[in-house]
């Protein structure tokens, strides 16, 4: 790796990290199209020209491949500290940048790779890559380029991946086939199939011969892009230039055939593979079996399984049987899965509780509770103790006794699956009664649980109870998902048609779902409809709309709805306070927030409101405004204020301002609040490093005066 020398770094500001405009445009800009002289648009054989001029006599250069990192490199203190500094980029300053630059001088190439892979946001990793590359007299090691491309291959940041590839060419870094393969994958994820395939043309122009790996990548991309015919033509070209396909190549094509419902062609390809010198593996067969299960062609699964054993000499083991059992159970073929379970046991294999549980669930879904219960009892007899999931098949009280007896406490997942089975058996009222017992039985229904029972009651025509479920659901903060929007609207319409009262809860549910779908105008329109139907919004309705408006940075409208809520005599809830505080702090509208909070507090008090504001401002890096509000927090001096002060002190330390952290601690002492000793020790040490010894000593003396540390300990700290 090159050195991180000092020098004229005035153009390398971390803020100019964001100058990499390409990062913001990665998903929006169209690439320049690579076309041939005849104006070909990429839909015919131009993508395959790279396979027409392979130099088989040329030297095969050793590939870098994937850079494997061990745990020590990922957890190295330098790597962790750099990642911490990068997280502070929103509050970046020259001092922090200098600290980062200083640390980077000590990094080895593999540690740079570890930093890139550690970023949760790949855009941040790419920004860091560009920023480091602009440093004076520094050049990335080749493995860093390949790691960056590998990271980007798992994203839609195709423009960034292509630019990294271009940067490699400019820097004289050898571009091997795998580098181009990473860029192809990124284009494929972005849905730009033509651009992905044109990378092969770039590879040809760069004088790089394709290998089997990139050919497999190209075929896989074509298959995923529903271009099976093109993938088959690519295979033919491979064979013409003597690139021999392997089982990975054929497995991609087998999947392609299944995707277009040509399963017979997939089976024929499996039969042809040995003639081409390549034998199918278990993946080849399982891909077809999975398709057959989805198509409910279970008899053919057995036929193919026999073929796998006889023709391909693949030995069935316990893992294979478990895979088949799961595959069949997943697609609702419980009887067939049970047959394979019996066969596996006859051959001496032990099917574990996971395999049993899968079959139990397949019987539970259609309401075949009796068979599922027999299987559970069978598990006990064989010493295969069921887990909580398996127990979802019995009636509540009886199964609870058995579960607690076997030290296997049921959970929400268990009960939800049981309720689902009851609802499918048209026993939704019984499922409703079980939900009412949840507190007694120490389990908590979630959104899925409510949805299962609500839809069950609705299917049985019990709309009144279904409405009760919805009301309870909303009261506990659960809402339908956007994917069920049509069902929710249909449900409300059914209630209206059958004379079942549609109330504010039903309207609020729809408004929430519209907000989740980012259709704010529809949500606001529905809010108006509530007035037309003489249904008055409640605090949950207003809070939902306020949050959605704040998310869209429409703070004035959010404030207007908050005031409207207050004028209607509705008291803000803790959720309302959190929503208003988060959205206003996010936009830096602190002054407007404080005015609004005064009006909200006049309706309903909230003791921790200013604590929440300070902590939220700290999270957004607005420490100046947070410090201004500290006086409001330190008036009553409860313990919650100490927590808030500690958050502010930590924020000052992370920004490299220990003196401000010291001042916060001093104000705490003045209000008879004792700050955290370990935190103050950190502040004291940072003050010492900055030459502020008097403040450092004074801070620790305050602890001595209050008897929290001995004078001898203070002397030790001072030394």
């Amino acid at each position: 790796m090159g050195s991180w020398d000092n020098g004229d770094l005035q153009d390398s500001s971390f803020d100019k990290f964001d100058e990499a405009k390409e990062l913001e445009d990665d998903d929006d800009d169209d690439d320049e199209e690579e076309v041939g002289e005849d104006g070909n648009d990429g839909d015919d054989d131009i993508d395959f020209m790279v396979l027409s001029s392979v130099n088989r006599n040329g030297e095969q250069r050793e590939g870098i491949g994937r850079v494997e990192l061990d745990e020590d490199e990922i957890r190295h203190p330098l790597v962790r500290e750099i990642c911490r500094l990068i997280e502070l980029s929103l509050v970046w300053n020259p001092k922090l940048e200098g600290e980062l630059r200083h640390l980077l001088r000590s990094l080895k190439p593999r540690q740079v790779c570890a930093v890139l892979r550690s970023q949760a946001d790949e855009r941040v990793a790419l920004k860091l890559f560009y920023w480091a590359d602009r440093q004076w007299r520094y050049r990335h090691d080749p493995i860093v380029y390949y790691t960056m491309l590998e990271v980007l291959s798992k994203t839609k940041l195709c423009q960034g991946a292509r630019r990294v590839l271009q940067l490699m060419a400019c820097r004289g870094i050898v571009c091997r086939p795998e580098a181009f393969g990473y860029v192809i994958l990124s284009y494929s994820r972005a849905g730009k199939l033509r651009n992905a395939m044109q990378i092969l043309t770039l590879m040809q122009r760069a004088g790089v011969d394709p290998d089997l790996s990139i050919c497999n990548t190209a075929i896989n991309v074509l298959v995923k892009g529903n271009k099976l015919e093109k993938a088959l033509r690519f295979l033919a070209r491979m064979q013409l230039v003597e690139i021999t396909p392997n089982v990975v190549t054929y497995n991609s094509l087998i999947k392609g055939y299944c995707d277009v419902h040509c399963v017979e062609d997939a089976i024929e390809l499996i039969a042809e593979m040995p003639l081409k010198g390549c034998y199918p593996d278990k993946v080849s067969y399982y891909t077809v079996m999975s398709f057959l299960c989805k198509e409910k062609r279970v008899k053919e699964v057995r036929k193919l399984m026999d073929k796998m054993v006889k023709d391909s000499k693949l030995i069935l083991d316990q893992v294979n049987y478990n895979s088949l059992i799961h595959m069949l159970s997943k697609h609702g073929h419980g009887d067939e899965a049970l047959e394979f379970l019996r066969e596996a046991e006859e051959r001496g294999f032990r099917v574990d509780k996971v395999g049993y549980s899968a079959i139990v669930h397949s019987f539970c879904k259609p309401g075949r509770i009796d068979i599922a219960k027999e299987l559970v009892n069978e598990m006990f007899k064989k010493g295969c103790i069921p887990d909580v999931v398996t127990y979802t098949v019995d009636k509540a009280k009886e199964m609870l006794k058995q579960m607690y007896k076997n030290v296997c406490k049921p959970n929400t997942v268990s009960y939800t699956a049981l309720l689902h089975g009851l609802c499918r058996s048209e026993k939704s009222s019984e499922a409703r009664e079980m939900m009412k017992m949840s507190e007694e039985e120490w389990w908590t229904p979630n959104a899925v649980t409510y949805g299962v029972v609500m839809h069950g009651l609705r299917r049985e025509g019990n709309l009144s109870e279904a409405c009760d479920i919805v009301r309870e659901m909303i009261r506990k903060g659960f809402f339908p998902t956007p994917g069920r929007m049509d069902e929710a609207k249909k449900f409300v319409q059914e209630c209206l048609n059958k004379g079942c009262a549609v109330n504010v809860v039903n309207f609020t549910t729809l408004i929430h779902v519209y907000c989740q779908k980012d259709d704010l105008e529809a949500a606001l329109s529905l809010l108006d409809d509530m007035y037309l139907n003489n249904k008055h919004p409640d605090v949950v309705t207003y809070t939902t709309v306020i949050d959605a408006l704040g998310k869209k940075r429409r703070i004035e409208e959010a404030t207007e709805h908050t005031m409207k809520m207050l004028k209607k005599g509705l008291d803000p809830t803790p959720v309302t306070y959190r929503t208003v505080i988060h959205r206003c702090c996010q936009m830096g509208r602190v002054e407007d927030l404080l005015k609004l909070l005064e009006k909200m507090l006049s309706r309903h008090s909230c003791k921790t409101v200013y604590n929440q504001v300070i902590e939220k401002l700290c999270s957004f890096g607005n420490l100046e405004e947070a410090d201004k509000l500290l006086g409001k927090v330190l008036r009553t001096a409860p313990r919650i204020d100490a927590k808030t002060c500690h958050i502010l002190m930590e924020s000052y330390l992370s920004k490299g301002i220990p003196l401000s952290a010291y001042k916060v601690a001093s104000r705490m002492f003045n209000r008879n609040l004792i700050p955290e000793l370990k935190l103050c020790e950190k502040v004291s040490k940072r003050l010492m490093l900055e030459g502020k010894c008097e403040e450092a000593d004074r801070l620790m003396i305050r602890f001595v005066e209050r008897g929290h540390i001995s004078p001898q300990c203070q002397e030790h700290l001072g030394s």
Side-chain angles (χ1 to χ4, degrees):
M1 177 175 175
S3 62
W4 298 83
D5 295 339
N6 286 320
D8 181 10
L9 298 175
Q10 58 184 353
D11 191 36
S12 62
S13 166
F14 205 78
D15 289 333
K16 290 187 179 179
F17 229 35
D18 297 322
E19 279 182 3
K21 181 71 169 63
E22 62 267 27
L23 290 174
E24 307 303 326
D25 300 333
D26 269 330
D27 295 329
D28 300 320
D29 289 353
D30 290 326
D31 286 26
E32 293 182 14
E33 301 297 341
E34 297 289 339
V35 296
E37 293 178 2
D38 59 353
N40 194 301
D41 66 356
D43 286 335
D44 59 21
D45 289 346
I46 188 169
D47 300 333
F48 306 148
M49 282 186 175
V50 68
L51 296 179
S52 301
S53 56
V54 178
N55 180 12
R56 287 285 154 218
N57 296 321
E59 291 185 12
Q60 290 293 324
R61 295 170 294 194
E62 183 182 352
I64 290 178
R66 189 178 189 278
V67 180
E68 298 291 343
L69 302 175
D70 58 38
E71 201 66 23
D72 291 339
E73 287 165 334
I74 296 170
R75 295 177 178 270
H76 194 280
L78 273 178
V79 172
R80 294 172 69 178
E81 178 62 13
I82 287 177
C83 290
R84 186 188 71 82
L85 287 173
I86 292 169
E87 289 176 2
L88 301 174
S89 59
L90 289 176
V91 290
W92 205 255
N93 58 46
K95 183 177 178 182
L96 287 175
E97 184 186 0
E99 190 175 344
L100 176 64
R101 207 179 283 122
H102 174 74
L103 290 171
L104 285 174
R105 295 191 194 108
S106 306
L107 280 188
K108 297 177 181 177
R110 296 177 67 83
Q111 290 168 342
V112 177
C113 296
V115 171
L116 293 176
R117 284 192 187 162
S118 298
Q119 303 310 307
D121 187 341
E122 292 83 1
R123 290 176 181 268
V124 173
L126 187 53
K127 286 181 179 181
L128 176 64
F129 177 87
Y130 286 140
W131 176 82
D133 184 72
R134 290 199 298 269
Q135 302 306 301
W136 185 57
R137 293 178 61 188
Y138 167 76
R139 288 292 179 268
H140 285 305
D141 187 274
I143 66 169
V144 178
Y145 285 95
Y146 280 87
T147 298
M148 187 71 255
L149 286 173
E150 182 194 343
V151 168
L152 294 175
S153 72
K154 299 170 185 175
T155 73
K156 297 179 180 180
L157 302 175
C158 49
Q159 295 268 32
R162 182 163 176 167
R163 290 184 182 110
V164 172
L165 191 65
Q166 291 169 339
L167 192 58
M168 290 176 72
C170 292
R171 298 283 189 257
I173 305 295
V174 174
C175 295
R176 298 185 171 86
E178 55 262 43
F180 294 92
Y182 288 138
V183 182
I184 290 174
L185 287 173
S186 186
Y187 270 114
S188 173
R189 288 182 183 276
K192 298 181 178 182
L193 180 60
R194 184 171 62 177
N195 298 105
M197 296 306 294
Q198 286 168 349
I199 295 299
L200 294 174
T201 306
L202 289 183
M203 189 174 77
Q204 181 191 30
R205 292 177 183 174
V208 179
D209 285 345
D211 60 8
L212 178 59
S213 174
I214 197 167
C215 287
N216 283 342
T217 299
I219 286 178
N220 187 46
V221 164
L222 288 168
V223 166
K224 286 185 176 179
N226 297 316
K227 299 287 184 182
L228 177 60
E229 185 180 345
K230 209 168 186 180
L232 292 169
R233 284 161 52 201
F234 198 99
L235 174 67
R237 290 294 185 99
M238 282 174 60
Q239 293 168 324
L240 284 175
V241 297
E242 298 179 359
I243 297 179
T244 305
N246 62 6
V247 69
V248 175
T249 320
Y250 287 113
N251 284 347
S252 292
L253 295 171
I254 289 168
K255 185 179 185 308
Y257 278 126
C258 291
D259 287 344
V260 296
H261 295 259
C262 295
V263 68
E264 286 76 15
D265 291 321
I267 294 172
E268 186 178 337
L269 183 57
I270 289 175
E272 291 175 358
M273 285 173 65
L275 303 175
K276 300 176 182 294
C278 180
Y279 292 89
D281 60 8
K282 291 178 181 179
V283 175
S284 314
Y285 285 98
Y286 288 160
T287 301
V288 179
M289 287 180 189
S290 179
F291 173 82
L292 293 171
C293 286
K294 289 178 187 176
E295 295 291 299
K296 303 189 182 302
R297 296 162 62 177
V298 183
K299 290 183 179 179
E300 294 175 62
V301 172
R302 166 65 70 182
K303 185 177 178 181
L304 195 61
M305 182 180 171
D306 293 338
K307 182 181 178 66
M308 180 175 76
V309 175
K310 293 177 182 177
D311 295 353
S312 298
K313 310 299 181 186
L314 294 172
I315 300 173
L316 286 171
D317 55 22
Q318 185 166 323
V319 175
N320 303 141
Y321 274 109
N322 277 332
S323 298
L324 285 166
I325 288 169
H326 277 280
M327 192 187 304
L328 291 163
S329 300
K330 178 182 176 182
H331 296 292
H333 304 296
D335 294 306
E336 291 79 4
L338 188 55
E339 282 183 25
F340 277 109
L341 183 143
R342 301 297 183 217
E343 181 179 316
E345 291 178 333
E346 286 175 9
R347 294 192 177 189
F349 297 121
R350 183 178 180 274
V351 178
D352 60 14
K353 62 184 179 183
V354 178
Y356 265 103
S357 297
I359 302 176
V360 167
H361 271 286
S362 71
F363 284 115
C364 184
K365 285 180 181 178
R368 298 170 68 184
I369 305 295
D370 293 339
I371 299 177
K373 184 178 176 181
E374 287 176 12
L375 280 171
V376 172
N377 293 332
E378 181 182 320
M379 292 173 71
F380 273 111
K381 291 176 183 177
K382 293 183 177 179
C384 180
I385 305 300
D387 58 15
V388 291
V389 177
T390 312
Y391 277 107
T392 60
V393 298
D394 207 353
K395 292 182 180 179
K397 291 183 179 180
E398 181 184 346
M399 289 305 294
L400 280 171
K401 289 178 183 178
Q402 197 175 22
M403 292 177 73
Y404 282 113
K405 182 180 178 181
N406 289 276
V407 197
C408 185
K409 186 178 178 181
N411 61 13
T412 301
V413 176
S414 312
Y415 277 105
T416 301
L418 169 59
L419 297 180
H420 181 70
L422 288 171
C423 291
R424 291 294 294 268
S425 303
E426 297 187 356
K427 297 179 181 178
S428 300
S429 295
E430 186 178 339
R432 173 64 176 140
E433 290 303 313
M434 282 189 60
M435 275 188 65
K436 291 179 180 178
M437 296 168 54
S438 61
E439 288 188 12
E440 297 176 23
E441 307 296 351
W442 293 89
W443 67 280
T444 305
N446 59 18
V448 177
T449 318
Y450 280 106
V452 163
V453 179
M454 188 269 282
H455 286 293
L457 290 166
R458 179 187 153 205
R459 279 194 301 269
E460 293 175 35
N462 195 342
L463 293 181
S464 178
E465 274 199 81
C467 282
D468 290 340
I469 287 281
V470 173
R471 292 187 190 102
E472 185 179 329
M473 184 178 179
I474 301 301
R475 190 169 64 249
K476 295 192 176 183
F478 298 123
F479 290 90
T481 61
R484 297 217 166 171
M485 187 70 227
D486 293 336
E487 288 186 38
K489 290 172 70 176
K490 186 178 178 182
F491 173 61
V492 170
Q493 191 59 49
E494 282 179 2
C495 291
L496 288 169
N497 294 341
K498 296 191 178 182
C500 184
V502 177
N503 59 16
V504 62
V505 173
N506 306 127
F507 276 107
T508 300
T509 302
L510 291 175
I511 288 171
H512 177 85
V513 176
Y514 274 126
C515 291
Q516 277 191 315
K517 291 183 70 176
D518 209 23
D519 192 349
L520 184 52
E521 300 311 317
L524 293 173
S525 175
L526 196 58
L527 185 64
D528 293 335
D529 289 344
M530 291 184 71
Y531 295 108
L532 296 175
N533 284 276
N534 200 28
K535 304 297 178 186
H536 300 289
D538 62 9
V539 65
V540 178
T541 317
Y542 277 112
T543 302
T544 301
V545 173
I546 290 164
D547 182 57
L549 287 166
K551 188 177 179 181
K552 289 288 188 180
R553 297 183 170 269
R554 292 160 63 171
I555 293 297
E556 287 76 12
E557 291 176 73
T559 303
E560 182 184 330
H561 278 83
T562 306
M563 294 303 299
K564 190 181 292 185
M565 178 188 75
L566 297 174
K567 287 176 182 177
K568 289 184 179 296
L570 296 171
D571 294 338
T573 66
V575 177
T576 314
Y577 275 109
R578 287 198 300 271
T579 298
V580 171
I581 289 168
H582 177 84
R583 295 304 178 191
C584 287
C585 289
Q586 189 177 36
M587 291 188 64
R589 302 283 287 270
V590 183
E591 193 173 330
D592 295 333
L593 171 63
L594 296 178
K595 290 177 183 177
L596 187 57
L597 288 177
E598 284 183 17
K599 298 185 184 300
M600 292 173 69
L601 289 167
S602 67
R603 285 287 316 166
H604 186 269
S605 64
C606 178
K607 294 181 180 179
T608 63
V609 64
Y610 292 110
N611 300 78
Q612 292 181 49
V613 176
I614 291 174
E615 290 171 21
K616 188 59 69 174
L617 287 170
C618 287
S619 71
F620 287 119
N622 194 346
L623 305 189
E624 185 179 350
E625 293 290 347
D627 195 73
K628 288 179 184 177
L629 289 173
L630 197 58
K632 289 183 178 289
V633 164
L634 290 174
R635 285 175 183 168
T636 55
R639 294 307 304 170
I640 186 67
D641 292 350
K643 172 179 172 287
T644 303
C645 291
H646 292 154
I647 290 173
L648 184 55
M649 289 172 67
E650 289 276 13
S651 300
Y652 276 129
L653 282 179
S654 67
K655 288 192 74 171
I657 317 174
L659 187 59
S660 294
Y662 161 75
K663 290 177 180 178
V664 174
S666 298
R667 293 176 71 177
M668 290 179 70
F669 277 118
N670 294 340
R671 290 287 180 179
N672 203 30
L673 269 180
I674 308 300
E676 189 180 273
L677 177 58
K678 289 185 178 180
L679 178 57
C680 287
E681 286 175 356
K682 288 183 186 178
V683 174
S684 180
K685 289 177 182 178
R686 295 285 286 273
L687 287 169
M688 295 282 284
L689 289 172
E690 292 192 1
K692 296 180 174 61
C693 302
E694 185 179 343
E695 288 84 352
D697 287 339
R698 192 180 302 152
L699 179 59
M700 302 314 296
I701 287 171
R702 303 290 286 268
F703 283 98
V704 175
E705 290 172 348
R706 285 161 175 75
H708 285 268
I709 57 175
S710 65
Q712 292 81 7
C713 191
Q714 161 64 13
E715 289 175 11
H716 175 70
L717 288 169
S719 63

